[in-house]
Every structure is written in structure tokens, then in C-alpha cells.
Amino acid sequence: MSTQNRPLSPHLQVYRLPLTALMSITHRMTGVGLTFGTLLLAWWVTAAAYGQAEYAQVQAFLGSWIGLILLLGFSFALFFHLCNGIRHLFWDFGQYFELHETRRADIFVLIGAAALTAATWVMVL
Amino acid sequence: MTSNSPSLRSALGHARGLGSAKEGTNHWWLQRLTAIALVPLTMWLVASVIALSGFGHEAFVVWFGRPINATLMILFLGVAFHHAQLGMQVVIEDYVSQHGSRTALNVLVKFVCYGLATLSIVSILTIAFGA
């Protein structure tokens, strides 16, 4: 009997990730994304210190369609990481580890992130 | 533990340095501390960006000319870049197994994060002091 070709666990191509696992990897991805997002923030602040023309350049870029898409992604990543981060802080205190509680928190985080993103854009636009 | 081969080093001397660097708790704690600080600071930053979004350079200068806003922005920048560096370090250490590139990436992230944090903070100070 051959033991050579047995699938290894977790077998990501076959195994469908549960929502909690997707939330976990999304927390990581948004974290990496936000690190790049802070470059945008640094550019905005530094340009303002250099003067009106430089600041206008940043504003023109952020107002373009590519800038708006970046900002939309930035804002959702920020609110997702914020909401899910608060849940992580509860976990650090040993709270809400039961399966039904993690499922409920998944929904809270997703609704919270979407609502905060929507509210922000309603106020901006 | 006793060794058959003669050695001047004690058993403790052999074992030392083979375990963890004992810095994991500090890293974990700082990540949480910066996370907690970032909850209110992020809310404030979002509110500031919304307030400034319709306006130009002058509004930015007036806003960060106020000591309270300059202080909160400097805190946000320092804490956010620190949190980013700590988080990126964990991601790099999880996914980059080759020792050399892992160290090089971690050094690069530290240089970029603390360099940009300093540049951004100096920029806010420049505006705050009305240069």
C-alpha cells in the first residue's frame, strides 16, 4: 500500500474555508494592504507641508477614478481591520471563543465594516 | 545533561541561546497596546479626513495648526507606523522561511516604516509651527 500520494492537511485546493478562517486571512491581507495605505497617508501629509501646488497634486490623484478606487479599498480595509481587531482584543481576554459566538462576531464585523465604509462615503460625497 | 566528549562548556552553556529570544511577549504586548490606541485615533482620523475632504490646502493648514489636531495626528502616525511594522514582521516571519531574505525584508520594513513616520511627523510639525 502506497503512502506517497496522500493529501496533506489543510488541503487548501479542496477544503472550503469556513467564514471564520476567511475572516482571519482577510485580517492579515487588510493589514498588509493598510501598510501600503499608510504610504498614501504619508504622501498626503508631506505634500501639504511642501505647499499648495504639491497638495493640489495629491488631491487631483485621489479625486481621479484610480484614486477613488484606492480610497474605497483603503477605507473598507481600515474599517474591517478596525472591527475585526476589536474582536481580536476580546479574544485576548478569553471572550467569545465558542463556535456560535465566533459566527455571530463574523456577521457583526462584516456588517460593521460595511456600514462604517458606507457612512464615510455618504459624508464625503 | 552529561556529555561523553570532554568539554570546558557546562551543560547550561550548551543549552543557552538555543531557545526563544524571549522577546515574543514584548512584541505581542506592543501590538495590542498600539491596537488599543489606534481605535480612538482612527475614529478621529476618519472624522478629520471627512472634514477636510471637500476643501483645499488652506483648510489642512488651519486644521493641523491647532495643537490638539497636530498632537492627535502625530500620535496616529507614530502608533500606526509602529503597528504596521509589528504586523508586517509577523507576516514576513510566517511566510518567508529563507533566513537571509526574511531578515532583509524585516530590516527594509523597519527602515521604511520609521522613515516615513518621521517624515510625516516632521511635515505635521512644519505646518503646526506655521512655517
Side-chain angles (χ1 to χ4, degrees):
Chain A
M1 197 166 103
S2 169
T3 55
Q4 295 296 307
N5 294 318
R6 285 182 179 171
L8 299 171
S9 174
H11 200 62
L12 291 175
Q13 289 93 339
V14 182
Y15 180 62
R16 193 170 67 86
L17 286 174
L19 188 55
T20 33
L22 284 173
M23 300 287 282
S24 174
I25 192 63
T26 307
H27 192 73
R28 223 164 225 221
M29 291 192 295
T30 52
V32 174
L34 287 168
T35 303
F36 288 97
T38 48
L39 304 183
L40 214 59
L41 184 70
W43 183 37
W44 181 55
V45 168
T46 309
Y50 272 92
Q52 221 159 6
E54 287 81 357
Y55 190 76
Q57 268 182 341
V58 180
Q59 277 196 316
F61 173 74
L62 293 179
S64 70
W65 66 268
I66 190 157
L68 286 171
I69 289 172
L70 278 175
L71 283 179
L72 184 66
F74 192 175
S75 56
F76 181 76
L78 184 72
F79 289 127
F80 181 92
H81 203 83
L82 180 74
C83 293
N84 206 50
I86 290 169
R87 157 215 247 183
H88 266 275
L89 291 173
F90 277 107
W91 278 345
D92 290 335
F93 285 96
Q95 303 279 315
Y96 308 126
F97 274 115
E98 293 300 324
L99 205 53
H100 70 279
E101 291 169 333
T102 63
R103 287 207 184 106
R104 198 170 48 195
D106 285 343
I107 304 302
F108 279 171
V109 167
L110 285 172
I111 290 175
L116 285 167
T117 309
T120 301
W121 284 91
V122 164
M123 281 188 265
V124 168
L125 297 174
Chain B
M1 195 197 282
T2 53
S3 171
N4 291 330
S5 57
S7 167
L8 290 174
R9 298 183 69 200
S10 67
L12 182 62
H14 277 292
R16 272 208 178 122
L18 295 177
S20 82
K22 308 274 193 302
E23 288 174 354
T25 309
N26 188 44
H27 185 286
W28 184 90
W29 171 242
L30 280 176
Q31 200 171 27
R32 267 64 189 177
L33 195 66
T34 50
I36 292 167
L38 279 171
V39 174
L41 287 171
T42 302
M43 303 287 207
W44 168 83
L45 179 74
V46 169
S48 299
V49 170
I50 290 171
L52 292 173
S53 64
F55 303 95
H57 185 251
E58 201 187 330
F60 189 103
V61 172
V62 169
W63 184 252
F64 291 109
R66 293 183 186 168
I68 184 68
N69 292 329
T71 302
L72 288 170
M73 190 61 177
I74 288 165
L75 280 174
F76 178 86
L77 289 164
V79 176
F81 274 111
H82 194 182
H83 188 79
Q85 184 275 313
L86 292 167
M88 289 297 281
Q89 186 184 342
V90 173
V91 172
I92 289 164
E93 284 170 356
D94 276 357
Y95 301 131
V96 184
S97 53
Q98 207 270 323
H99 190 80
S101 28
R102 172 194 288 198
T103 307
L105 265 176
N106 268 325
V107 169
L108 178 74
V109 166
K110 279 187 194 196
F111 282 7
V112 170
C113 281
Y114 297 126
L116 284 179
T118 310
L119 177 68
S120 311
I121 289 168
V122 168
S123 297
I124 290 294
L125 287 174
T126 307
I127 289 164
F129 293 144

